[in-house]
Structure formats: structure tokens, C-alpha cells
Amino acid sequence: MIDGYLPYGRQQIEEDDVAAVAAALREPLITDGPGVSAFERAVADYLGARHVVALATGTAALHAAAFAAGVGPGDECVVPAMTFAASANCVLYLGGRPRFADIDPSTRNLDAAAAAGAVSERTRAMVTVSFAGLPAEIEPLRGSGLPVIEDACHALGGIRAGRPVGGPGGADITCFSLHPVKSMTTGEGGLAVTEDDQLARRLRLFRSHGISRDQLHPEPWEGSWYYEMKELGFNYRITDFQCALGRSQLRHLDGWVSRRGELARLYQQLLGGEDRIELPPPAQAGDRHAYHLFVIRILAGREPRRAIFEGLRGAGIGVQVHYIPVYRLPYYRDVLGYPQDECPNTEMLYAGSISLPLFPAMEEADVERVVRELSRLLDEHV
Ligand SMILES: *Cc1c(COP(=O)(O)O)cnc(C)c1O
């Protein structure tokens, strides 16, 4: 059992992870070396995917995905508001404008009808989020014919219709984060995954300044030093020693995701008879929930939620709220002037949500402690 403060999530680092990083630091190249493509191939094998591009962060992966999908100045992208700001910021970075669409309360993922309703002649792509690790349905978003980017930062290790999230049959580009609270980590890091050769080429170009060493047009007097910058890219590279950590972590991923599932089932079981809260929706048959988060909703709404949240924090339980709807963030609300009243299901979830601690090193006694404190606070405040 974890003594003292129980965070909502934290990384799992094993001895073999430490050894893998130490070995990578002794290699001649610690960035831009063969460790990056070795990690990309390992992830591609795991997912059954054609192209995997590893980047500096999950946010960089989303930025690269929006670029690869062709988002530019004046373009719009449909995005759910029940997400981390980065899902929408990637559109702003490119001079585009996110259009927020509501979630389906039964999955907490983007509602396909709401998304279709938010499409205009300016829309360039759909961004969908597999919230908390529940694989988003992609097919219902295909009606518009627009490219679909899945922000799967919560869903590495998840399965949709029998296939890994990020594998074939999913979104046009799937993005993962390798931040320490996610399913596995490289410290900071991200992945962009696609089956499409052209999208993969643009993702790689964007990762490294837009500089290319193929299809070149040198002057006759220019030699083999020659390169071209063809697009305005960034330095979004990840290091070889981070990738060594990633390869090592990947070997543990399935075990950790199933441990998260066991702990989530224990929460479901212990809280099953509690009618003052809504439990998170489980995965459909054929799917596997990655359980990055376990988000309950206090049905009594804002005031009791605040009191219960503060009470849990006071008891040393590191709860969080995922998420403040993106349009409520002052940059969106005040600087960009986003409307505040277009997503009632998002508002309903925000009014009551609390993320309970969930990470693989937790024991059953930790889950029982959280449930005990939660029940006490529900009795006190609802
Ligand atoms: C973590 C996260 C990101 C950003 O990932 P970073 O690796 O921290 O840049 C984006 N979207 C969602 C939904 C996330 O949870």
C-alpha cells in the first residue's frame, strides 16, 4: 500500500528501464541516431502499423498531425472541448481555428452528430479524443470525408474492434503522448502513427525543420552537403536515450494496461451500488479500455463536487479534474472570444467530474482507501 500522498497517476520505472537508458548514454549518438528508428519499429510491430514517427512530446505529435493533414491559416478543425488544451492548440499553431463540438454523455467522446453539425466549408480535419482511454469510434466521423486525427494520448495500449488503437483501421493519424502519467513514458515524448506514406513523409519533414534530403535540386556546383528546407517545420526530435527508455517500457505496456483494468474493475465493483455518482463507461465488446483515467461524476453537481474534491485532497488523495472545457480557458474565452454555451454535455461532465487515482503500482488497499474516503465525503456533502 502507498503511504501518505496518493497521486492520481505516476510513471512506472523498472530496473531494466534504467539499464536501457544507461546503455543508450554510452552510444556514440545520443540524438538523431539509430535508437529512434529502432523504437519506431518496435512500436510499429506492437501496433501492426505501417509508419510510426516519434517526436519530442504528444503536443508536437498533434501539431505535426494537423500540419500533415493540411491545416493552414483560416482552416477549421472540429475538436471536442472535453480534453486537454493541446488537442485544440495544435490547430491554432497553424493559424487555424478549432470548432468545439459536444461529447456523447454515454461515452464522453466526441458526438458524431454534433461533430457533423460543426462542419463548414472551411473545415479541414476532425480531431477526436479517446477520453480517459476509452477508444473513440472513428467510423461515424467518416461521413464528412475529412481526415480524422485521433488524440489517443490516453489510449496507448487500448484496443478498438480487436485491433490496437493506432493500428490499421483507425484514424488517418493517431497521436500518443509518452508523458510520465500516460500508459508508458519516455520522460517527455510523443508518437504520430499512420498507414499513409504521404502523411508519414509530412510528419517526418515537420519533425526536423521541414528539411529534406530527397528530391533535391542543387546547383551544378553544389555537392553532397546540399539539403533543402521545403516546409516551415520545427525541431520536434526525441533523443536516442528517451527512445531506449521507450523500447524498454513497451515490453511492460500490456501488463501495466491490464493492471489498470483490474484496478478500474475494483473501483467499479466497490462503487457499483453508489447512486450519488456516475461511473465511467466501460469499453464495448471487442474493445479494451486503456484506463489512463478513472473519472467519476458527482451527480449533485458543482458545489458538492468542490467540497468532495477538496476533502479528498485533504485526506492525501491526489484527485484531479479532467478537464476544464477548452473554451472556458481564458485564452479561448477572453482573447479569442469563444462562446461558452454550445456544449451542454461537456458542461454537465465538467460540473461533476473527479479523476480518482489510477496507476499500475497501486494495490487493492489503495483503491479501498480512496473509496472509503469518497463514501465518507458523499455522506457529508450530498
Ligand atoms: C497528455 C495529453 C496531451 C499532450 O501530451 P504531451 O506529451 O504532454 O505534450 C494531449 N492531449 C491529451 C488528451 C493528453 O492527455
Side-chain angles (χ1 to χ4, degrees):
M1 182 165 170
I2 291 162
D3 273 340
Y5 188 75
L6 186 65
Y8 87 91
R10 82 169 180 217
Q11 73 275 15
Q12 189 81 12
I13 302 286
E14 310 287 356
E15 281 311 309
D16 60 351
D17 296 326
V18 176
V21 175
L25 287 170
R26 295 191 181 95
E27 291 293 318
L29 295 175
I30 59 169
T31 193
D32 236 354
V36 179
S37 46
F39 177 47
E40 291 175 339
R41 276 195 306 278
V43 176
D45 284 348
Y46 173 82
L47 299 175
R50 185 166 166 83
H51 298 286
V52 173
V53 181
L55 301 103
T57 62
T59 303
L62 286 163
H63 190 184
F67 168 82
V71 177
D75 291 340
E76 292 183 356
C77 291
V78 178
V79 186
M82 181 45 68
T83 185
F84 184 56
S87 314
N89 290 349
C90 64
V91 180
L92 295 179
Y93 296 155
L94 291 157
R97 196 171 162 90
R99 269 287 290 269
F100 293 110
D102 210 355
I103 53 170
D104 174 344
S106 72
T107 61
R108 301 169 174 180
N109 287 333
L110 183 62
D111 180 274
V119 170
S120 75
E121 64 277 16
R122 313 233 55 165
T123 312
R124 233 349 144 94
M126 296 257 188
V127 179
T128 190
V129 177
S130 290
F131 180 79
L134 182 74
E137 284 191 83
I138 304 296
E139 280 319 306
L141 300 176
R142 292 277 181 206
S144 59
L146 293 162
V148 177
I149 297 169
E150 180 181 2
D151 178 341
C153 288
H154 298 178
L156 181 57
I159 293 176
R160 173 170 39 234
R163 294 164 123 177
V165 170
D172 296 282
I173 305 175
T174 307
C175 298
F176 297 108
S177 166
L178 304 172
H179 180 274
V181 294
K182 307 293 163 70
S183 322
M184 59 170 257
T185 190
T186 55
E188 298 282 355
L191 299 163
V193 184
T194 183
E195 296 302 295
D196 185 285
D197 297 349
Q198 192 58 20
L199 290 174
R201 197 189 62 80
R202 286 177 61 80
L203 290 168
R204 291 184 189 285
L205 207 55
F206 197 71
R207 173 174 63 178
S208 214
H209 308 280
I211 288 175
S212 166
R213 289 185 183 275
D214 44 57
Q215 291 170 18
L216 302 178
H217 308 90
E219 304 281 354
W221 48 267
E222 288 178 307
S224 56
W225 67 82
Y226 184 78
Y227 61 84
E228 287 179 357
M229 189 191 115
K230 296 178 189 265
E231 300 276 0
L232 184 59
F234 286 73
N235 177 355
Y236 274 161
R237 292 188 300 269
I238 187 169
T239 67
D240 282 57
F241 50 98
Q242 289 175 293
C243 288
L245 178 56
R247 266 169 89 192
S248 181
Q249 290 255 307
L250 187 61
R251 291 194 277 270
H252 300 287
L253 177 64
D254 276 323
W256 290 337
V257 171
S258 43
R259 179 62 185 157
R260 285 176 177 275
E262 284 169 17
L263 294 166
R265 272 187 294 282
L266 184 58
Y267 271 130
Q268 300 269 10
Q269 192 188 314
L270 296 176
L271 292 168
E274 179 52 76
D275 57 8
R276 291 167 291 184
I277 64 174
E278 177 191 82
L279 289 168
Q284 314 186 84
D287 288 8
R288 177 166 76 181
H289 199 309
Y291 279 113
H292 165 55
L293 299 174
F294 194 88
V295 181
I296 61 163
R297 182 165 71 87
I298 308 293
L299 299 176
R302 298 176 193 212
E303 270 312 309
R305 189 272 299 272
R306 193 182 54 77
I308 292 166
F309 181 95
E310 303 297 358
L312 287 166
R313 281 281 180 95
I317 295 172
V319 285
Q320 292 283 350
V321 169
H322 295 94
Y323 287 96
I324 301 172
V326 179
Y327 52 74
R328 280 181 171 266
L329 302 172
Y331 184 75
Y332 281 87
R333 186 191 58 208
D334 304 333
V335 180
L336 301 178
Y338 268 83
Q340 301 293 299
D341 55 359
E342 292 187 336
C343 298
N345 297 325
T346 300
E347 285 293 307
M348 184 176 70
L349 181 54
Y350 176 50
S353 63
I354 298 181
S355 301
L356 303 182
L358 182 61
F359 53 91
M362 280 173 68
E363 291 177 7
E364 301 193 352
D366 297 309
V367 173
E368 287 160 7
R369 171 184 162 204
V370 174
V371 169
R372 207 165 42 243
E373 294 294 343
L374 175 63
S375 302
R376 178 181 65 78
L377 289 158
L378 280 166
D379 289 344
E380 199 173 313
H381 297 291
V382 178

